[in-house]
Amino acid sequence: MESRPFTAPLNNPLYYLANFRTVLAWVGTHHADLLTDDERARLAGFEALPRSAQALLVRMVMRSGCLFRLSKLRYPELGAPVVEALEALEADGWIDPRPVLSLEELFGLHTRPELAQALADDIARVGLKRSATKQALLAALSEQAMEPRPLTEWWPESDDRVVALTCMPLFERVRLLFFGNLRQDWSEFVLTELGHQRYESVPFSAASRAFQVRDEVDSYLHLHACRERLEADEAPAEIWQAVPTAAAPNPWLESRRGRVLYALGCKAERRGDPVLALAAWGASTHREARLRRLRLMERRGEHVQAFPLVEAALAAPRCGAERQGLERLRSRFAKRLGQSLPARQRAAAIPTVALTLPPLAKESVESAVAAHLSRADAPVHYVENRLFNALFALLCWPALYAPLPGAFFHPFHAAPADLDREDFVARRRRLFNDCLAALTTDDYRRRIVATWQEKAGITNPFVHWPTVTLELIELALACIPAAHLAAVFERMLADLRHHRSGLPDLIQFAPPGYRLIEVKAPGDRLQDHQRRWLAYCLAHGIEVAVCQVSWEEPA
């Protein structure tokens, strides 16, 4: 196993530069073949820059946009002025010292009083007062079709300078290769002291990369550009022409394409273009796209066309929430079309316990119920989703941290990067089956305890180490039958993103048994995902109850 990359402590004034160079080294080691010769040479040129120039460049890369005023580039650790660092960056082509600015860019860089000075003649010509708001100035001057120009031509009297980064496309590509997405910005790594957290050591190889060829990186960047155009409120119909029509062979890219198409459909619906919304959702593999499409067809009165699509979707629902939505749609469509459906089995009534408590000051209602019900021989713990999530993770640790393509991009992942993707479980189904097989033997308790002892403190999205103590784990294993664990874990795996939540708030141990208790304060009610969990537990012989709390009347 390769050694973990170096990260700098925050007491190093240039810690952000050290961490940035760690990123470049990692990408250079593991993704060099996905970069062109020019890009590799450019990154090597970064290492040859003076240290102050490197640091200044990183500071600018981490900030928003590509345009910077010299007067705003003040960093105490670099000293003042930063002119020498800028000269080095200019000499090597990292910045443009005299960029052409559009009117909008000029406004973005300057305050209203500054603009009133810079554009005094233009403002007078359009009949605006110099005291007009910045928005009013921009709106009025935009109608004049003013040509872009350097700052020295916009405002010759200014004693400031504007420079522009010329390297952002390269560093955006590097950021994608390191993080595996463009949602995370540089600050999530560069400005973080990572040493205070422990991460699972996952082997990283060429086979485990999400991107195997440069074209795949280009495709991701193209899809990201489409998403940015959506967020910039460009017309969905224009973006629809740019989104690839065919499914991507790379699952990572196809997941991204599905999310873009889902967002495009939502924007088209809001813009009053239902035909485009239906087309976009129909082409999307996003877990919510199919249900959104069918609901829109219902609103459009397309019941005859939609009914068989609902039936087909119910044969393979994408998640539990979709199944519930599809069943409701089928019931409504069948009623409208005069179709008969098999009688649905009535769900078992959920046991309810009424409890009256004094009004609470600061304590949560769950904690108050736990304290009220707890006995020496039957302790109650407020665990919500944490206990079963932790037991699942401790048993299935090898599956969660399998080095599959697109799961881990760097050594600082708290969770697999594809955890919320639709195919997360499917890609690991055999590995999960192997882990769950331990529940058919007496070995599962030992494995869970051994994993807790070996991994305690390692960041894991399913385990909250401060509350899931070894004592609690061992008590749970003594009271919860293996068959119940298997049932809960299988439901979690059916939709890991959504079924990690919704479990009852409390667990009461009464060795050798236990029960789960959902707490509801006055005025609160069960949510759909909670009802589904409670019904599932009852169907699998797990004792559950809803504790409905009311407050004592004041004396």
Side-chain angles (χ1 to χ4, degrees):
M1 176 123 12
E2 63 182 302
S3 60
R4 186 174 297 277
F6 167 80
T7 57
L10 296 183
N11 60 9
N12 175 359
L14 297 179
Y15 70 96
Y16 59 88
L17 174 58
N19 287 345
F20 192 84
R21 293 176 68 178
T22 293
V23 171
L24 299 187
W26 177 266
V27 170
T29 299
H30 297 283
H31 302 291
D33 60 308
L34 303 180
L35 300 171
T36 65
D37 290 341
D38 287 344
E39 289 166 343
R40 288 191 293 269
R42 202 78 181 115
L43 295 178
F46 174 85
E47 294 294 332
L49 287 170
R51 191 173 182 83
S52 61
Q54 290 184 17
L56 180 59
L57 184 60
V58 172
R59 282 294 196 185
M60 289 192 288
V61 167
M62 289 190 300
R63 285 172 57 173
S64 176
C66 294
L67 295 169
F68 304 93
R69 292 175 59 174
L70 179 60
S71 61
K72 304 297 184 182
L73 297 176
R74 299 191 185 115
Y75 300 105
E77 76 277 9
L78 299 183
V82 294
V83 175
E84 290 185 5
L86 282 173
E87 288 174 349
L89 295 176
E90 178 184 343
D92 207 27
W94 295 97
I95 63 171
D96 179 354
R98 197 171 179 268
V100 171
L101 307 177
S102 67
L103 183 68
E104 291 76 11
E105 289 169 335
L106 182 74
F107 268 68
L109 289 167
H110 294 87
T111 65
R112 189 198 59 78
E114 290 173 329
L115 293 165
Q117 294 181 50
L119 304 173
D121 293 342
D122 299 294
I123 293 170
R125 187 173 64 253
V126 297
L128 283 173
K129 295 181 180 179
R130 292 181 58 173
S131 60
T133 66
K134 191 173 181 180
Q135 292 76 13
L137 290 176
L138 178 59
L141 294 176
S142 294
E143 297 178 0
Q144 304 303 306
M146 303 173 77
E147 291 296 322
R149 65 200 75 164
L151 178 63
T152 52
E153 296 180 22
W154 280 114
W155 191 7
E157 296 81 12
S158 174
D159 58 1
D160 207 350
R161 287 176 54 196
V162 170
V163 298
L165 289 176
T166 61
C167 53
M168 285 308 294
L170 170 60
F171 286 128
E172 287 291 273
R173 189 175 293 266
V174 168
R175 182 161 66 99
L176 173 59
L177 291 174
F178 184 77
F179 285 114
N181 63 72
L182 290 171
R183 181 187 68 259
Q184 292 173 274
D185 61 30
W186 287 107
S187 65
E188 293 195 33
F189 181 88
V190 175
L191 295 181
T192 302
E193 184 175 28
L194 298 165
H196 72 283
Q197 296 191 64
R198 293 174 56 206
Y199 300 88
E200 178 66 359
S201 296
V202 179
F204 191 90
S205 66
S208 65
R209 300 187 310 180
F211 305 115
Q212 294 297 323
V213 295
R214 184 178 174 86
D215 282 349
E216 293 176 343
V217 183
D218 292 339
S219 296
Y220 189 103
L221 292 169
H222 175 74
L223 289 168
H224 179 73
C226 291
R227 185 60 184 259
E228 286 189 319
R229 290 168 62 187
L230 266 179
E231 293 172 356
D233 214 29
E234 188 175 332
E238 295 295 324
I239 303 167
W240 170 251
Q241 303 300 320
V243 179
T245 55
N250 180 321
W252 186 264
L253 287 175
E254 178 53 27
S255 175
R256 182 67 181 175
R257 189 183 79 99
R259 290 197 295 273
V260 170
L261 286 168
Y262 176 73
L264 192 152
C266 294
K267 177 65 71 70
E269 183 186 31
R270 291 194 297 270
R271 289 282 195 90
D273 190 346
V275 175
L276 178 55
L278 291 172
W281 288 333
S284 172
T285 53
H286 189 279
R287 58 168 59 86
E288 298 176 30
R290 186 163 57 179
L291 191 57
R292 289 287 295 261
R293 179 171 181 252
L294 290 167
R295 284 173 174 164
L296 179 54
M297 292 179 73
E298 180 187 27
R299 292 195 297 274
R300 286 166 57 84
E302 299 172 358
H303 308 112
V304 173
Q305 301 93 320
F307 187 62
L309 299 178
V310 171
E311 296 279 22
L314 274 169
R318 292 174 178 174
C319 61
E322 187 192 52
R323 178 191 292 277
Q324 186 178 62
L326 290 170
E327 288 173 346
R328 291 171 176 172
L329 274 176
R330 179 171 64 172
S331 178
R332 294 198 296 269
F333 284 153
K335 185 176 181 179
R336 286 181 174 275
L337 298 174
Q339 299 276 355
S340 60
L341 295 176
R344 293 178 60 182
Q345 185 176 359
R346 185 178 296 274
I350 301 169
T352 302
V353 176
L355 184 61
T356 302
L357 295 174
L360 303 176
K362 296 182 178 179
E363 189 180 20
S364 70
V365 64
E366 294 86 359
S367 298
V369 172
H372 182 86
L373 297 178
S374 193
R375 308 191 310 266
D377 63 336
V380 179
H381 292 261
Y382 178 21
V383 295
E384 205 169 21
N385 307 298
R386 295 189 296 271
L387 178 59
F388 281 102
N389 271 254
L391 291 168
F392 167 78
L394 294 171
L395 181 64
C396 299
W397 199 282
L400 292 172
Y401 288 95
L404 301 184
F408 299 95
F409 288 81
H410 53 78
F412 306 100
H413 278 284
D418 62 335
L419 180 60
D420 287 337
R421 256 180 44 195
E422 288 81 356
D423 62 348
F424 177 82
V425 173
R427 296 208 299 152
R428 298 163 173 81
R429 187 71 251 193
R430 181 184 60 79
L431 295 171
F432 280 119
N433 288 344
D434 290 345
C435 294
L436 297 186
L439 294 170
T440 63
T441 72
D442 291 333
D443 190 46
Y444 73 95
R445 294 186 181 90
R446 181 199 63 79
R447 287 178 58 172
I448 289 174
V449 170
T451 303
W452 192 101
Q453 292 170 330
E454 178 187 354
K455 306 294 187 181
I458 292 178
T459 55
N460 184 300
F462 295 88
V463 186
H464 184 249
W465 297 107
T467 57
V468 186
T469 63
L470 184 56
E471 179 184 14
L472 177 61
I473 292 292
E474 290 178 331
L475 180 58
L477 292 174
C479 297
I480 304 175
H484 289 185
L485 292 176
V488 170
F489 296 166
E490 282 293 355
R491 185 166 193 273
M492 289 175 65
L493 288 170
D495 185 356
L496 201 51
R497 181 180 183 183
H498 293 102
H499 292 177
R500 290 157 58 187
S501 62
L503 285 152
D505 300 306
L506 311 179
I507 185 167
Q508 183 168 32
F509 297 107
Y514 74 106
R515 68 169 173 164
L516 302 176
I517 304 168
E518 177 64 33
V519 178
K520 289 298 171 187
D524 197 3
R525 64 182 182 85
L526 289 172
Q527 303 299 310
D528 280 348
H529 69 300
Q530 295 172 328
R531 290 184 182 277
R532 289 193 290 267
W533 258 121
L534 292 168
Y536 182 86
C537 288
L538 285 173
H540 288 80
I542 299 172
E543 184 180 354
V544 295
V546 174
C547 181
Q548 191 65 58
V549 177
S550 59
W551 306 128
E552 291 179 356
E553 293 293 334

